[in-house]
Amino acid sequence: MARRPNVFLLSADALRADHATELVDEVAGLTGGTRFANAVAPASHTASSIPALATGRFIDEEGAVDDSLLPSSLSADGYRTRLLTDNPIAADALTERSVGEAGGLSNLLDDLLPRGVTRPVEQAYFRRLWPTMRRLGLADPYYRPAARLHEGALEALSGETGPIFCWLHYMDTHSPYYVPNEGGATGSLDPDRAAAMSRSLTIGDAADVDRAEAETVARLYRRACDHLGGSVVEFVRELRERGLYEPDRDVLAVTADHGECLDPERGVFGHLPPASWESLVHVPLVVARPDWPESTVDEQVSLVDLPGMLRPDPGEAAPSTSFGREYVETVAGTLTAAGVVRGVRRADGEKLFGRRTADGTDVVHTRYEVGDPAAETVVGEPYGDGATTASVPEGLLERAAEAGGLVGDEQYLSSVDESHLRALGYVE
């Protein structure tokens, strides 16, 4: 009797769609997969996005915390499940409710050193000490690069005979961005020093970011995206060569939990505080299933539908063209205080979203162009939550109200471990 399909989910942290077109094209070519050209992340940071990817529900939906996780569901269905990541928030979100369930989820997360230091001290560490230690071979990359995750995955999967669900969540494109020190990525600045700069800037205030430094970090980030893409393509080839992934039998997806904004004028350098700029929420997505033809879907889709796309058995998933939505929502909890911001993105290029700034909260109305984050323009001035403006097209405000409002005081992320926020550079 033929075994059931293996399922592979390869997700990158903070990988924006416009920096992953080559990755999507190459994976689609290798697998016969479906390209989703207009995929939207559930939120602009991991703590709100990964739970939605794993349950198919936004964090503010009633009962979402009680929903079965995708790994747990597959485990209960006889799958051997594996997670490899160095993101402690993702690991927590995917393992906390799997404890004690049949099969469980094998978490191969390396322990991260606690970063219980003040932000100025951490910035000084990354600016001065860490690059020197890297250059002298005294410090590893801050996160395990993709190649090491791939080694761990192949070792863990060797000898497996039953159906496998393997989720790899990469950190190469999360600051400090990882690029092998081979020269050429950042001009006269070596990649380790530029990576240290990226960490220092993303844990600071966007208003304090120097334009020249921002451009250097942006070049490094682009190089990190390209390097990760090449690594993922090679991993897919290796899975095929070892017989772990066969396009006419198995399921494979490549995506990201959110993007990255490196434009200080947007009020974000990195992906916090949460907002719904195109650079933060438009993400790559390619899904390869033996019952879907190789194609491109241009309609906007939400990653909350990813669990449905990954149903392993042929015929279980709806057709690839059925996931298009006129309206796509984003829901991001605030990490360091009670609160939530939401966004509504309409397929015709209109968007409305709430955000928190140093001055409080406001609402932003923008017009976007798919695939070109720099072309997103603000329509009029941001306005206070609850106010109305004549420039907002009919339907957006109504949809925002149905979603619960664009800015709220609800707390959905109270269980996030503060030490893990420090490890990722989110709090002092």
Side-chain angles (χ1 to χ4, degrees), residues 28-29 49 54 85-86 99 126 179 183 195 202 204 248 256 304 325 351 355 363-364:
S49 188
T85 183
D86 271 3
V99 176
F126 275 100
V179 175
T202 56
D248 59 355
V304 294
R325 299 186 181 206
K351 188 197 298 181
R355 64 174 180 173
V363 172
V364 184

Side-chain angles (χ1 to χ4, degrees), residues 48-69:
S48 295
S49 188
I50 286 290
L53 268 63
T55 63
R57 300 180 70 177
F58 292 104
I59 60 168
D60 64 342
E61 291 189 53
E62 185 176 354
V65 296
D66 300 318
D67 279 357
S68 178
L69 299 167

Side-chain angles (χ1 to χ4, degrees), residues 10 54-55 86 154 163 215 230 239 271 289 333-334 341 344 397 413:
L10 312 179
T55 63
D86 271 3
L154 294 172
E215 292 174 353
L239 290 174
H271 44 269
R289 301 182 53 90
T334 303
V341 294
V344 177
L397 284 173
L413 301 178

